[in-house]
Amino acid sequence: MYARRRHVYFAMMTACLVLFVGAWAVVRLWSTPAAVAMCFVAMVIPPVAAMVANRRGPEDRWWDDPSGDPKSDEWWDELDGKRRRP
């Protein structure tokens, strides 16, 4: 699961770099507006890649992890109706 998200992140970032470098190394020789459009697309990719990489799946049980603060964990367990383990 984590490996797949990491691979997707690196693929998106590679596409971003290819778009940016390709826009100003090759495409600008034929069409400056196309190069600028490619840069705008490349500009949107990094935030989307970060969202994809940090997305939590339904199988991720992050809400059950203790926070480290015993008082807070006890309070949340009480609200959730869980019994504390001795």
Side-chain angles (χ1 to χ4, degrees):
M1 170 182 64
Y2 295 115
R4 184 186 65 186
R5 287 195 311 233
R6 190 173 52 239
H7 290 150
V8 170
Y9 173 79
F10 283 121
M12 290 178 78
M13 293 306 289
T14 300
C16 175
L17 288 173
V18 167
L19 279 170
F20 186 75
V21 171
W24 295 113
V26 179
V27 176
R28 72 173 171 89
L29 300 173
W30 288 280
S31 174
T32 303
V36 170
M38 287 173 68
C39 282
F40 277 119
V41 171
M43 179 180 68
V44 173
I45 292 175
V48 173
M51 285 185 263
V52 166
N54 291 315
R55 183 184 63 86
R56 299 277 185 176
E59 62 275 359
D60 290 340
R61 309 252 335 152
W62 58 272
W63 59 88
D64 287 340
D65 292 341
S67 67
D69 179 18
K71 192 168 193 164
S72 175
D73 292 339
E74 183 180 333
W75 183 75
W76 280 108
D77 286 344
E78 181 183 335
L79 284 178
D80 290 339
K82 294 181 184 176
R83 290 186 166 218
R84 298 286 291 173
R85 295 182 192 150

